[in-house]
Amino acid sequence: SVTNISINIIGLGTETYPSGTTPLQILTSAKGVSKETIICKVDKVLTDLSVQLDSDCTVQFLDGKSKDGHNVLLHSTAHLMAQAVKRLYPKTKVTIGPFLENRFYYDFDVVTPFTEEDLLKIEEEMLKISKENIDIIHEVKSRAEALKFFKNIGEDYKIEIINDLDDSEVLKVYAQGDFTDLCRGPHVQSTGMIQHFKLLSSSAAYWRGDENNQTLQRVYGTSFTSAKDLKKYLLMLEEQKKRDHRKIGKELDLYFHDEEVGPGLPLWTPNGAVIIDELEALAKEKEDLGGYKRVRTPHLTKGSLYEKSGHLEHYMSSMYPAMDVDGTDYYMKPMNCPHHHKIYANTPKSYRDLPYRLSEYGTCYRYEKSGELFGLMRVRSMQMNDAHIYCTEDQFKEEFIAVCNLYMDYFKIFGIEKYEMRLSLHDPKDLGKKYINNPKLWKKTEDDVRDALKDAGLKFTESVGDAAFYGPKIDVQVWSAIGKEFSLATNQVDFAVPERFNLTYKDLDGKSKTPLCIHRAPLGTHERFIGFLIEHFGGNFPLWIAPRQVTILPVSDRYNDYAHTICQSLKESGVRADVDSRSEKIGSKIRDAEMQKVNIMVIVGEKEVDDSTLTIRRRFIKQQQTISLESFTAEILDEINDRRVPN
């Protein structure tokens, strides 16, 4: 007899089905399930629609517009692309093809790098395979079967991947016609479900990100469930190209990299340094109000300090190699926290001294692989907006919420409307390896952070396996004005390292206790945050943070003296002003100022000199304004001091 099982279909209720029923069968028979469904979750786990259900469970159907559904579509499109590449270039070896945010890529070992024409050919072949509507079938293989299969078809990289996997790993393969790939899945049901895609670019990449390994060809693409969504995304990508921080950073002379200095080590020009100074002034102002004390620590330290902190055990691959100084290993500091722990421990503390908040704008150094360096987003030298809060368990929630509220203040100042806080938790199976081995404290601290976020009314998601080695953390994602996502900052809880450093305070009962430590960096690094701001504003910075706030344009050399008098007056008031005294026509000066994205142009000629006035021209505002120097100065100082973001 057939055993019946109870299936709770999210949004529809609970129904009884024969054991062995698949989500696909439910999808075709149940009323009310979206016909746009491409994947499902069974008991909250993403699962193929063809899987057999053998026990009571909960099923949630997802379409390609949901985050999980879109990720599956992207990953399935990566497989579609790999199949097309193998058909067109049979000698190509395939490696890995993961999904990213709204994109996917696949790395190929090819004899000759792909050209733009090749990408078009691959895209055409993908369309053919899509129209063939080939079923995508998965099966589980034993390790021996999988190794034999991929050896027979000459896919060496798949063999290497299998050999590196744990013996307990379940090995899945997905086949679609003449193409089979090693993959955990899940995937859409057939190639016909993948119709609206575009290959975006190709570049060189190293196998497993190691420059000592084989150079591969990485092809990026995107995929959506409708032509409309694809077009919308491609238009956004075009806008992103215009706003690329590397492009605008060069045009506005904000920073550059120099080969003799070294990759990933940006040099900030006077214009770029202005933005750093303004950000630092803002942060110091906020921290003064929040009761922080500023400190400074050295750029390098004995290795013994990082042994004690656990960085050498858990973080060494991201640190610069040791320097032997008189037989002792010294390291460039990857972060400020061990030094701050030392400052805390320098003087005895009682419960009356807590919370004890230390902040620093220290430069840190991390060894990012050369293939991962990217403009200001991934660098090797970074200026951290860093602080550490030492507090009691009773003070923790209030302090943690105060930090989160500081994030909200910054979002308002910079016009950031969309954000997401991700609570990064530990994975119990990695205790003692990736994480401090103290399951009881992990659970308590994670619960405390979750409760604090709920009490503050903040939106957040949870992610298992992304915690810091010493405690849970909040990773903050923000979206720019055109919808591009950035990883901005982090807020971490440390329940383990203070004890390693013997950090204590004398409590009300006279007993010595260990404080909790909150690591926070709401502006992240100046490098990454400025990269975000460049793209967020498209280089059109609000007046308060603009490197060049006002430029004075005399219509001829006769009015240079008056222009310089105005400039000096503005400088004395704290406004960043300069004079364009070149012997150029005024139209040319205006165009150059617009190209340099100068916020305000002051035009002076005979009329302005005679009337002791200024003619003001603002970016994006056609109507000019005639005003006195005193009124103009007062007007823009209000705008600067209020840190206004233009609408």
Side-chain angles (χ1 to χ4, degrees), residues 7 160 239 293 390 437 446 509:
I7 300 177
E160 183 178 333
E239 184 62 26
K293 306 173 191 294
Y390 303 88
N437 192 7
E446 289 175 348
D509 58 11

Side-chain angles (χ1 to χ4, degrees), residues 181-240:
D181 206 352
L182 177 73
C183 184
R184 292 188 176 97
H187 284 281
V188 299
Q189 283 300 105
S190 72
T191 61
M193 299 176 75
I194 311 167
Q195 297 180 12
H196 308 288
F197 49 82
K198 179 69 179 173
L199 299 189
L200 302 171
S201 63
S202 65
S203 62
Y206 296 111
W207 170 233
R208 292 185 161 173
D210 188 340
E211 54 260 48
N212 297 313
N213 286 341
Q214 175 68 28
T215 301
L216 305 172
Q217 190 74 10
R218 175 169 296 178
V219 180
Y220 287 97
T222 190
S223 182
F224 289 86
T225 53
S226 72
K228 181 181 176 182
D229 288 341
L230 175 62
K231 183 180 179 181
K232 182 180 176 182
Y233 181 71
L234 294 176
L235 287 173
M236 189 188 76
L237 288 184
E238 285 301 311
E239 184 62 26
Q240 284 182 9

Side-chain angles (χ1 to χ4, degrees), residues 120-299:
L120 290 173
K121 288 179 185 175
I122 295 167
E123 210 170 87
E124 288 172 5
E125 192 65 32
M126 291 170 69
L127 286 168
K128 289 179 185 176
I129 300 171
S130 171
K131 289 176 182 176
E132 291 172 21
N133 197 23
I134 304 167
D135 288 339
I136 299 173
I137 303 164
H138 80 269
E139 65 172 307
V140 175
K141 288 184 179 289
S142 69
R143 181 173 289 260
E145 288 172 337
L147 287 171
K148 182 180 179 181
F149 176 81
F150 287 107
K151 183 179 180 181
N152 287 341
I153 62 174
E155 294 293 358
D156 304 335
Y157 293 94
K158 300 298 176 182
I159 293 170
E160 183 178 333
I161 291 170
I162 294 168
N163 285 330
D164 286 345
L165 291 174
D166 192 270
D167 288 343
S168 61
E169 184 83 23
V170 175
L171 298 179
K172 273 186 177 181
V173 297
Y174 281 79
Q176 48 195 67
D178 52 6
F179 178 73
T180 301
D181 206 352
L182 177 73
C183 184
R184 292 188 176 97
H187 284 281
V188 299
Q189 283 300 105
S190 72
T191 61
M193 299 176 75
I194 311 167
Q195 297 180 12
H196 308 288
F197 49 82
K198 179 69 179 173
L199 299 189
L200 302 171
S201 63
S202 65
S203 62
Y206 296 111
W207 170 233
R208 292 185 161 173
D210 188 340
E211 54 260 48
N212 297 313
N213 286 341
Q214 175 68 28
T215 301
L216 305 172
Q217 190 74 10
R218 175 169 296 178
V219 180
Y220 287 97
T222 190
S223 182
F224 289 86
T225 53
S226 72
K228 181 181 176 182
D229 288 341
L230 175 62
K231 183 180 179 181
K232 182 180 176 182
Y233 181 71
L234 294 176
L235 287 173
M236 189 188 76
L237 288 184
E238 285 301 311
E239 184 62 26
Q240 284 182 9
K241 287 179 183 177
K242 296 176 190 174
R243 290 175 177 241
D244 190 315
H245 75 277
R246 296 166 299 175
K247 173 178 173 286
I248 294 176
K250 185 176 182 179
E251 291 170 352
L252 300 187
D253 189 25
L254 301 177
Y255 76 96
F256 65 98
H257 289 91
D258 185 271
E259 200 56 45
E260 281 193 304
V261 173
L265 305 170
L267 294 165
W268 292 96
T269 65
N271 285 343
V274 165
I275 302 177
I276 291 176
D277 289 344
E278 289 294 342
L279 289 178
E280 196 166 316
L282 168 65
K284 285 178 178 177
E285 181 184 306
K286 292 290 184 184
E287 288 166 1
D288 283 343
L289 292 171
Y292 288 82
K293 306 173 191 294
R294 274 186 293 281
V295 297
R296 291 186 181 274
T297 59
H299 290 234

Side-chain angles (χ1 to χ4, degrees), residues 558-559 562 566 603-614 626:
R558 284 184 294 162
Y559 309 111
Y562 184 56
I566 295 165
I603 301 169
V604 294
E606 183 176 359
K607 186 177 186 302
E608 288 77 19
V609 171
D610 290 344
D611 297 344
S612 296
T613 58
L614 316 174
T626 300

Side-chain angles (χ1 to χ4, degrees), residues 308-345:
K308 183 181 288 188
S309 68
H311 285 99
L312 288 186
E313 180 183 357
H314 297 281
Y315 205 76
M316 194 171 184
S317 63
S318 296
M319 294 171 62
Y320 270 94
M323 293 177 279
D324 186 325
V325 181
D326 300 327
T328 301
D329 283 347
Y330 280 75
Y331 290 87
M332 303 293 284
K333 69 173 177 180
M335 48 192 66
N336 299 308
C337 35
H339 304 78
H340 290 192
H341 298 336
K342 283 291 186 182
I343 292 173
Y344 175 94

Side-chain angles (χ1 to χ4, degrees), residues 263-428:
L265 305 170
L267 294 165
W268 292 96
T269 65
N271 285 343
V274 165
I275 302 177
I276 291 176
D277 289 344
E278 289 294 342
L279 289 178
E280 196 166 316
L282 168 65
K284 285 178 178 177
E285 181 184 306
K286 292 290 184 184
E287 288 166 1
D288 283 343
L289 292 171
Y292 288 82
K293 306 173 191 294
R294 274 186 293 281
V295 297
R296 291 186 181 274
T297 59
H299 290 234
L300 74 167
T301 300
K302 286 183 178 179
S304 56
L305 182 72
Y306 296 127
E307 285 179 11
K308 183 181 288 188
S309 68
H311 285 99
L312 288 186
E313 180 183 357
H314 297 281
Y315 205 76
M316 194 171 184
S317 63
S318 296
M319 294 171 62
Y320 270 94
M323 293 177 279
D324 186 325
V325 181
D326 300 327
T328 301
D329 283 347
Y330 280 75
Y331 290 87
M332 303 293 284
K333 69 173 177 180
M335 48 192 66
N336 299 308
C337 35
H339 304 78
H340 290 192
H341 298 336
K342 283 291 186 182
I343 292 173
Y344 175 94
N346 187 50
T347 54
K349 302 287 187 300
S350 82
Y351 67 93
R352 295 186 182 89
D353 298 309
L354 304 186
Y356 190 74
R357 309 177 188 97
L358 298 178
S359 67
E360 179 176 11
Y361 295 89
T363 303
C364 297
Y365 305 88
R366 297 180 187 170
Y367 179 72
E368 300 280 2
K369 293 177 180 178
S370 59
E372 296 174 346
L373 296 174
F374 180 72
L376 294 177
M377 299 303 176
R378 295 292 291 268
V379 292
R380 290 173 173 171
S381 167
M382 61 209 72
Q383 299 167 69
M384 297 279 286
N385 164 231
D386 208 3
H388 297 87
I389 303 168
Y390 303 88
C391 62
T392 67
E393 287 190 23
D394 290 340
Q395 294 167 337
F396 166 75
K397 186 176 289 186
E398 184 178 348
E399 289 299 310
F400 195 84
I401 290 173
V403 170
C404 291
N405 287 336
L406 183 58
Y407 282 90
M408 298 300 109
D409 286 347
Y410 286 139
F411 294 165
K412 186 176 180 181
I413 288 170
F414 293 105
I416 298 170
E417 296 179 353
K418 184 180 178 183
Y419 69 89
E420 179 180 282
M421 292 194 172
R422 185 175 67 226
L423 172 53
S424 296
L425 309 169
H426 81 296
D427 189 335

